[in-house]
Amino acid sequence: MKDKLQLMIPGPTPVPESVLLAMARHPIGHRSGEFQAIVKRTTEQLQWLHQTKGNVLVLAGSGTAAMEAGIINVLSKGDRVICGDNGKFGERWVKVAKAYGLDVQVISAEWGQPLDPEAFRAALEADTGKQIKAVIITHSETSTGVLNDLETINRHVKAHGEALIVVDAVTSIGATSVPVDAWGLDVVASGSQKGYMMPPGLGFVAMGERAWKAHEHSDLPKFYLNLGPYRKTAAKDSNPFTPAVNLYFALETALEIMQKEGLEAIFARHSRQQRATQAAMQAIGLPLYAAPGHGSPSITAVAPEGLDAEAVRKVVKNRYDILLAGGQDHLKGKVFRIGHLGFVCDRDILTAVAAIEGALVELGRPPAQPGAGVAAAAAVLQS
Ligand SMILES: *Cc1c(COP(=O)(O)O)cnc(C)c1O
């Protein structure tokens, strides 16, 4: 049915009507006082979301631009870095680091498994010459639905003393706590189409003091993504280049909604919906792909053994107008992924679970107990 498609993919995510309407006006001059007021306001709101007093800079670009900016603003030619790789996004940061000629040591884990913090500890402790300049990791690995243990890995990075931590928090900011100042995270990147309840188009980079120190002597090539001018103009509530003016309108409105809900309530909602989704899949006999206890708060990957995951997705989309994400690379046809990130209410979870149950019936693999998934999800959502 036209205009009924419900997005339950891990980005773009659904957008509240008030956020859409905020964008539906003429752009205003980006050097005007009116726009400066919006930059000032959104800067404070972004600091609130990131739990930091430091800079959170806004780029016109997707999450990848934010992450690339983070990497190239704190590192120099030939620097040694460790990249964590346990999925599609971890893999991407290895590629970016190599594209800039960094000396990359990869610490990997099988897809579906979390990165092992001990492997980071060992590699960092072995580096007595303090050659490792950064550890680059993905917090919530969207391709597999795994949440990596950022807090512990970061503790090992801090013990090293020299290396910075560069975090892809694209599907964790706005879903679970990423306390930038309390944990001393140096670089944290995210994008608007994920936990922000906004359309795609903005990237965000939080930079700590140590990151700015490294920026002073970073010699990797950069111009548009040089964060120096962004910091300088942000101090005057402005931007170095023409910003995505209408997306700023959306940002202000979306963050206002988030502030009304409150950080703790937002995290609790994501956790509740994650647990409800997991319980539902288990109740209908569909195995979870992520290792137990390591699921992401924003995305649940499901591996329907003996069933084509793409067939499930197709029925859910064509009959029930709900878009689930498929598996990437070797997981295509093996997993489907349920996004529960951003502007998602409990009803969306119940509806998605019911649609998946309906698809199983249609594909000749009905759950042993009809409605067991919905019942399991409802029980968690009501608790
Ligand atoms: C979506 C996503 C990104 C950014 O992807 P873009 O398409 O560039 O916005 C990066 N990391 C993770 C974990 C993501 O889910």
Side-chain angles (χ1 to χ4, degrees), residues 95-120:
K95 283 185 196 157
V96 172
K98 286 187 174 163
Y100 283 96
L102 298 171
D103 176 6
V104 185
Q105 176 185 352
V106 180
I107 292 182
S108 55
E110 250 176 77
W111 286 35
Q113 296 296 319
L115 294 168
D116 177 11
E118 278 305 299
F120 287 82

Side-chain angles (χ1 to χ4, degrees), residues 62-64 89 92-93 138 140 142 168 170-171 193-194:
S62 75
T64 303
F89 290 99
R92 182 177 297 178
W93 313 134
T138 303
S140 163
T142 310
D168 168 351
V170 179
T171 52
Q193 80 278 27
K194 306 290 177 100

Side-chain angles (χ1 to χ4, degrees), residues 117-195:
E118 278 305 299
F120 287 82
R121 187 182 60 76
L124 289 159
E125 279 181 1
D127 178 36
T128 49
K130 305 295 175 195
Q131 291 303 302
I132 298 169
K133 299 302 176 198
V135 171
I136 301 169
I137 74 158
T138 303
H139 189 194
S140 163
E141 178 46 81
T142 310
S143 61
T144 61
V146 166
L147 187 72
N148 286 312
D149 185 356
L150 172 61
E151 187 176 9
T152 305
I153 293 171
N154 178 57
R155 219 174 315 121
H156 298 319
V157 175
K158 291 292 165 292
H160 178 270
E162 171 74 21
L164 299 175
I165 190 156
V166 178
V167 184
D168 168 351
V170 179
T171 52
S172 59
I173 282 279
T176 191
S177 189
V178 185
V180 172
D181 285 359
W183 288 359
L185 302 174
D186 300 298
V187 179
V188 175
S190 57
S192 60
Q193 80 278 27
K194 306 290 177 100

Side-chain angles (χ1 to χ4, degrees), residues 304-321:
E305 280 160 11
L307 256 184
D308 178 9
E310 286 302 293
V312 177
R313 240 160 55 79
K314 210 171 270 169
V315 177
V316 168
K317 173 162 183 288
N318 294 342
R319 185 173 295 280
Y320 299 103
D321 293 293

